[in-house]
Structure formats: C-alpha cells, structure tokens
Amino acid sequence: MALVKDNILLQLVRGTLGDQITIYERNGQIIMAKKRGPSKKKPTKKQLEARYKMKIAAAYAKVILKDPVLKAYYQSLAGPGQNAYNMAVKDAFRSPEIQQIRLEEMDVVVTAKDEFRVAEVEVRVVDAAGSILERGKAVLGRNGVDWYYKTVGLPPGGKVVVVAVDLPGNGTIRELLLA
C-alpha cells in the first residue's frame, strides 16, 4: 500500500488498473494498493447473518419501490449521492427502538423511534398467569414519537407487552412488569 502525495495524474484516477493495482481515496488521502481478490477464509457466523439480513433488505427495497407513494417517501429522505433504493435498504436493515413505556392513569404511553417511520405499535395487557386480557393498536400522538393506548384495567402482577413495527415489518418487543 502506498499513499500518493501531490501527483496530478493520480488526483483524478480511481479504480483498478490492469487487474493488479487499485487506486482509491480514504479520509482525503489517495491510496494505491494491490488488488484484493476474494477471501479464501470461511465466513463467520456473524458475516453470514449480516449477508442474509442484507439480502432480505435488498429484496424488501426492490418490492417496496414498486409503490409510487413509498418510493417518493424514501426519495424525499435521500441525500446527495443516494436514492430511494438506498434509503429503503437502510430502513429494512434496522428495527425500531422502544425507548420508554410509561403508565399515565389508564393510558399506556410508548415512546418509539425509527430512523424513518414507526408504522404501528401494538399493546397487550397480560395477567400474572400469562393470559392476554386485552390487545389493540396504539394511536400516534401529536409529537410523532409517543403512542397512546387506553386500557380497561392493569392487573397487579401482570405485564404490558409492546410491539413496535416499522414500514419494512421489522418488529421490536419490550415488556413492562406491573407491580
């Protein structure tokens, strides 16, 4: 590997030359290196999981971009050098985050965030024996982050189970134990 300094010709060149040398830029420095070939090592379990997740994300992006409304939504979020496909893959790669579950009188208030959009939040009230007493979809509040669900009752020793789902269908589950 060589760092290139003050070479007018190589200031404009990027890519592979003669299937032997690769020229690229990283952190503002031009680097010349021997062209890498495919790895001879067996991929790790984490690498295989990441590849599978990326395959699913790419498949989602291809399907979802057939919907003109969602394509326009993702395109509106794209920055310079990005497109709707890039944004859809990025959205499919990450699950939403449930930051907080709190109780306000008979309301369950869920703070859920996603880099793009949380599509829905489902709330289940479960008793101490594990039976579901009630379930339903929460309603998005005015602030765009808090979701509200009005409960009939909260059983002592039970729990509130919250499932947040984003546009690609990635779900995150979090529980709040009731005293």
Side-chain angles (χ1 to χ4, degrees), residues 116-135:
F116 295 90
R117 185 187 328 167
V118 176
E120 67 180 41
V121 173
E122 181 184 289
V123 177
R124 295 181 217 138
V125 178
V126 181
D127 66 9
S131 300
I132 297 175
L133 300 177
E134 63 178 291
R135 75 185 315 163

Side-chain angles (χ1 to χ4, degrees), residues 45-55 93:
K45 186 176 179 182
K46 279 190 171 184
Q47 287 173 325
L48 291 173
E49 288 172 3
R51 289 176 189 176
Y52 177 73
K53 197 171 179 182
M54 187 60 164
K55 188 176 185 179
F93 209 75

Side-chain angles (χ1 to χ4, degrees), residues 1 6 8 23 29 68 75 81 123 139 146 152 164:
M1 179 177 85
D6 297 329
I8 295 173
I23 302 170
Q29 291 186 318
Q75 187 62 47
V123 177
V139 177
D146 290 335
V152 176

Side-chain angles (χ1 to χ4, degrees), residues 57-79:
Y60 164 77
K62 285 180 185 175
V63 170
I64 205 69
L65 293 182
K66 292 178 183 173
D67 181 344
V69 174
L70 286 174
K71 183 175 182 177
Y73 169 71
Y74 283 122
Q75 187 62 47
S76 71
L77 299 171

Side-chain angles (χ1 to χ4, degrees), residues 18-35:
D19 208 29
Q20 292 181 1
I21 297 173
T22 301
I23 302 170
Y24 59 97
E25 186 172 344
R26 181 174 291 155
N27 297 328
Q29 291 186 318
I30 300 170
I31 300 171
M32 286 180 62
K34 180 180 175 188
K35 183 179 181 211

